[in-house]
């Protein structure tokens, strides 16, 4: 009987999109052991949002709230979660490999003298052995892992696990963080939101991406129109970011973001190894490129050889008919 | 000020990865090794800080004797000294063991700031910097894209979902570096010559080994690809149809 804890992120009075799959995974693992899947929610608004986790079969949500936990701060949150770990002795603590997850999971691991299994794409429990798989060398290889320790801290790659809905009403329990203002060592003093209201690349279901073939910054309007039709995020190759046409936050690839959308449309992208590293776990890849020898065509589910400035507007038109 | 930069030797990102016969290591022959790209941003940030505020930069790496080359490159870029913690089989040593060794060495020296790359591009584990900070009991800010120092206050910016955060903490601290801190400088000939005289200490930690929880290193499943469905704008209608009816993604 193992306790599975998962860290449910929320912002602006909403659960983050990836909480659905995280909760689903936690519920499934707990089901295998006859144990309990408990959501952890920290900060103001936790108790109001906690009932929503019942949609994914979660029977308990532990809320941790205190004035000095109002804003995310690595060490303070890590210590609060560590105090909870001491109290509940979970077998597994799950995070999404989001910005917060990539920051918080290692801090919790350090305080618990263990490591994180980062950005996992597979997870299962066999009795008390935790079976995982995670990409390495930017996805050119996978590590198979069997963890037999008493505590495993895991972050899951976003958009990689199915959501399972099963209605329950969770017990909501408040936990005393045991944290004081002295634990708040890092302070967020500002936040500048991105201009465009598009889905976050790492969470997006559909991404339209532009490479050097776009020819210049103002030419991105062509793929932005397609992205609007599909309610997609817009990505960029490293060449385009290095040329200053698009910000680094848009870069998909080994030194940019790793994405796993349902659909990735690569426009004027040749398909360098480092770019593929960032998007190869896309379920469906469409490639549009003038050069029939472009490496991207080898990984594309559907390839179109042609001028993207002719193909993309036509594709936009055809998709609008269907949507 | 005294800055320590944690660096790792990794295979170049162009490398075609081949799995060795034991199923847990990569074939090391004909692999080109480089400084982990994110660590280069950390070295550059450190050099810019001491250019502005004065001080010295020490490089610290856990690796094998192959890691001497990236340390020499870092010295040639302008770092003042380097320390190699030698471990025979270090690439997939578990991250907490790596961090413990690094923290143990760091405790023997005085420093104001520790920088590292946000992650190593071989393991993609993205945690050693944070683990070291927790072991040393100092604040950590991860994935920074710029930083300014005002006395003992550090202010950084980092990209998160939906925007950019400004984050501050007090020194001593550990910061992990993302792209954006400045193009890493190329070592020039003078730098390369001077590097030969700079202190490079080696500490033997013995054998390492692949983390005990790793059961295998495998190739990802081959995805079917390579299907060209048409040419030019004329292919658009078929593409839309396939996305709806076959792939069912829209």
């Amino acid at each position: 009987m193992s306790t599975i804890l998962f860290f449910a992120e929320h912002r602006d009075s909403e659960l983050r999109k990836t909480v659905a799959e995280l909760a689903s995974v936690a519920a499934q693992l707990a089901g295998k052991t006859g144990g309990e899947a408990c959501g952890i929610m920290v900060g103001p608004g936790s108790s109001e949002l906690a009932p929503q986790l019942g949609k994914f079969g979660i029977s308990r949500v532990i809320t941790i709230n205190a004035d000095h936990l109002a804003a995310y701060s690595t060490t303070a949150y890590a210590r609060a979660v560590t105090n909870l770990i001491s109290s509940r002795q979970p077998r597994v603590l799950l995070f999404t490999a989001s910005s917060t997850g990539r920051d918080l999971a290692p801090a919790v691991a350090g305080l618990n003298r263990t490591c994180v299994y980062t950005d996992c794409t597979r997870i299962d429990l066999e009795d008390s052995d935790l079976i995982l798989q995670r990409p390495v060398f930017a996805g050119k290889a996978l590590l198979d892992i069997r963890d037999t320790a008493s505590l495993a801290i895991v972050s899951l790659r976003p958009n990689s696990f199915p959501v399972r809905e099963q209605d329950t009403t969770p017990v909501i329990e408040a936990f005393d963080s045991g944290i004081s203002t002295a634990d708040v060592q890092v302070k967020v003093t500002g936040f500048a939101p991105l201009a465009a209201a598009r889905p976050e690349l790492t969470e997006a279901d559909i991404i339209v991406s532009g490479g050097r073939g776009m020819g210049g910054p103002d030419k991105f309007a062509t793929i932005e129109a397609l992205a609007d039709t599909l309610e997609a995020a817009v990505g960029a190759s490293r060449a385009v970011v290095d040329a200053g046409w698009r910000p680094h936050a848009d870069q998909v690839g080994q030194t940019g973001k790793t994405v796993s959308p349902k659909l990735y449309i690569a426009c004027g992208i040749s398909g360098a190894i480092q770019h593929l590293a960032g998007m190869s776990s896309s379920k469906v890849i469409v490639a549009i490129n003038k050069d029939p020898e472009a490496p991207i065509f080898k990984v594309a589910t559907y390839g179109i050889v042609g001028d993207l400035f002719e193909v993309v507007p036509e594709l936009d038109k055809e998709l609008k008919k269907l949507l | 000020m005294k800055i320590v930069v944690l660096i790792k030797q990794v295979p170049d990102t162009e490398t075609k990865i081949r799995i060795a016969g034991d199923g847990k290591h990569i074939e090391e022959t004909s692999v080109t090794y480089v400084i982990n790209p994110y660590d280069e941003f950390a070295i550059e940030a450190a050099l810019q800080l001491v250019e502005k505020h004065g001080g010295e930069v020490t490089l610290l790496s856990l690796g094998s004797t192959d890691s001497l080359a990236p340390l020499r490159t870092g010295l040639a870029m302008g770092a003042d000294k380097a320390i190699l913690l030698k471990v025979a089989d270090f690439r997939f040593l578990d991250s907490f063991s790596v961090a413990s060794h690094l923290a143990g060495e760091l405790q023997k020296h005085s420093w104001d700031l520790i920088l590292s790359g946000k992650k190593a591009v071989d393991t993609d584990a993205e945690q050693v910097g944070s683990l070291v900070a927790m072991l040393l009991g100092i604040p950590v800010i991860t994935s920074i894209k710029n930083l300014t120092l005002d006395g003992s206050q550090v202010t950084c910016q980092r990209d998160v979902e939906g925007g950019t955060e400004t984050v501050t903490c007090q020194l001593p601290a550990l910061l992990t570096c993302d792209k954006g801190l400045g193009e890493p400088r190329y070592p020039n000939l003078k730098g390369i010559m001077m590097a030969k005289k700079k202190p490079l200490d080696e500490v033997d930690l013995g054998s390492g080994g692949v983390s005990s929880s790793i059961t295998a290193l495998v190739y990802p499943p081959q995805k079917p690809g390579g299907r060209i469905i048409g040419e030019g704008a004329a292919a658009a209608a078929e593409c839309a149809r396939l996305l709806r009816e076959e792939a069912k993604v829209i």
Side-chain angles (χ1 to χ4, degrees), chain A residues 11 16 74-75 98-100 102-103 106-107 109-111 113-118 133-147 185-194 200 202-203 206 230 238 241-242 248-249 251 254-256 258 262-263 273-274 280-284 286 297-306 310-311 314-315 318-319 322-323, chain B residues 11-17 19 24 26 37-38 91-92 94-96 100 118-119 121-127 130-131 134-135 137-142 155 158-170 178-179 212-221 223-237 239-244 246-247 249-250:
Chain A
R11 188 157 71 172
R16 299 301 307 276
T74 313
T75 316
S98 58
S99 293
T100 298
R102 288 170 188 276
D103 185 72
L111 292 177
R113 303 191 64 82
T114 185
C115 60
V116 186
Y117 297 113
T118 307
Q133 194 174 65
R134 55 176 301 270
V136 288
F137 296 104
K140 295 179 207 171
L142 303 169
L143 274 180
D144 281 331
I145 290 162
R146 177 177 290 266
D147 177 273
Q185 299 175 344
V186 172
K187 294 192 171 81
V188 176
T189 56
F191 177 70
L194 285 173
E200 166 62 32
T202 52
E203 294 172 353
I206 305 179
L230 292 167
R238 179 180 175 165
V241 170
D242 284 351
H248 177 54
Q251 184 175 328
Q254 188 158 11
T255 52
T258 301
K262 285 185 325 206
L263 173 60
I273 296 181
Q274 296 90 341
S280 61
S281 60
S282 307
K283 319 249 173 343
V284 175
V286 170
F297 285 122
K298 292 205 189 73
V299 302
T301 321
Y302 307 120
I304 300 177
V305 180
E310 289 171 8
V311 177
E314 192 64 24
L315 184 59
E318 293 296 329
L319 287 168
L322 295 177
L323 290 168
Chain B
D12 182 279
T13 58
E14 283 288 325
T15 306
K16 187 170 164 58
I17 296 298
I19 296 171
K24 287 190 184 180
I26 58 164
Y38 290 105
R91 193 167 308 289
F92 281 111
D94 93 84
S95 302
F96 187 75
S100 298
K118 76 171 186 184
K119 70 171 184 176
V121 299
D122 51 359
T123 61
D124 291 316
E126 200 169 346
Q127 62 191 273
S130 300
L131 297 176
M134 292 299 116
L135 287 169
I138 59 176
V140 57
I141 304 177
T142 59
T155 301
R158 53 198 299 274
D159 283 337
V160 297
E161 287 92 1
T164 302
E165 270 184 351
T166 304
V167 192
T168 69
C169 72
Q170 292 290 319
D178 200 347
K179 201 166 162 169
S212 59
S213 61
I214 291 173
T215 54
L217 181 63
V218 299
Y219 294 112
K223 272 214 179 95
R227 179 172 160 194
I228 307 280
I229 58 165
E231 286 181 18
C239 185
R241 187 194 70 79
L242 288 165
L243 288 174
R244 163 61 59 93
E246 188 177 271
V249 288
I250 56 144

Side-chain angles (χ1 to χ4, degrees), chain B:
Chain B
M1 66 179 308
K2 291 189 176 160
I3 307 179
V4 181
V5 184
L6 308 178
I7 76 172
K8 186 181 183 186
Q9 175 246 55
V10 296
D12 182 279
T13 58
E14 283 288 325
T15 306
K16 187 170 164 58
I17 296 298
R18 283 185 320 254
I19 296 171
D22 74 346
K24 287 190 184 180
H25 293 83
I26 58 164
E27 277 289 348
E28 303 261 351
T29 50
S30 70
V31 173
T32 308
Y33 293 105
V34 295
I35 301 179
N36 179 41
Y38 290 105
D39 298 344
E40 285 187 307
F41 295 122
I43 298 173
E44 179 59 31
L47 294 173
Q48 287 186 20
L49 278 173
V50 302
E51 275 164 6
K52 190 166 178 196
H53 302 276
E56 65 172 27
V57 177
T58 302
L59 306 176
L60 174 60
S61 186
L62 185 141
S64 66
T65 39
D66 289 334
S67 309
L68 288 170
L71 283 172
R72 290 204 186 92
T73 303
L75 291 172
M77 284 168 74
D80 299 286
K81 33 177 134 129
I83 303 168
L84 173 65
L85 302 181
K86 261 193 315 199
V87 171
D89 187 1
F90 71 97
R91 193 167 308 289
F92 281 111
L93 191 59
D94 93 84
S95 302
F96 187 75
S97 298
V98 173
S100 298
H101 288 309
L102 291 170
E105 183 64 30
L106 284 161
Q107 270 156 352
K108 299 178 190 160
H109 304 268
S110 69
W111 35 266
D112 304 291
L113 176 64
I114 304 171
L115 297 177
S116 77
K118 76 171 186 184
K119 70 171 184 176
V121 299
D122 51 359
T123 61
D124 291 316
E126 200 169 346
Q127 62 191 273
V128 166
S130 300
L131 297 176
V132 169
M134 292 299 116
L135 287 169
L136 296 173
I138 59 176
V140 57
I141 304 177
T142 59
S143 297
I144 68 169
K145 60 180 193 177
N146 58 48
L147 87 104
T148 50
L149 200 55
D150 185 2
S152 67
Q153 175 153 298
V154 174
T155 301
C156 307
Q157 287 191 317
R158 53 198 299 274
D159 283 337
V160 297
E161 287 92 1
T164 302
E165 270 184 351
T166 304
V167 192
T168 69
C169 72
Q170 292 290 319
L171 295 181
L174 189 147
L175 312 174
T176 79
C177 301
D178 200 347
K179 201 166 162 169
L181 284 158
E183 269 314 296
R185 58 196 68 185
Y186 283 110
N188 56 26
L189 197 52
K190 180 176 173 199
I192 295 169
M193 297 310 294
M194 286 179 57
K196 298 184 186 186
K197 303 206 177 86
K198 293 178 178 175
L200 203 178
D201 298 330
E202 296 177 42
V203 179
D204 213 319
L205 296 181
S207 62
V210 161
S211 160
S212 59
S213 61
I214 291 173
T215 54
L217 181 63
V218 299
Y219 294 112
Q222 269 278 58
K223 272 214 179 95
R227 179 172 160 194
I228 307 280
I229 58 165
E231 286 181 18
E238 176 64 357
C239 185
R241 187 194 70 79
L242 288 165
L243 288 174
R244 163 61 59 93
E245 292 174 19
E246 188 177 271
K248 302 196 209 292
V249 288
I250 56 144

Side-chain angles (χ1 to χ4, degrees), chain A residues 209-228:
Chain A
S209 217
R212 209 197 300 261
M214 297 302 299
D218 31 309
K219 301 286 180 38
F220 270 74
T222 308
I223 65 171
E224 277 169 348
L226 177 59
D228 286 341

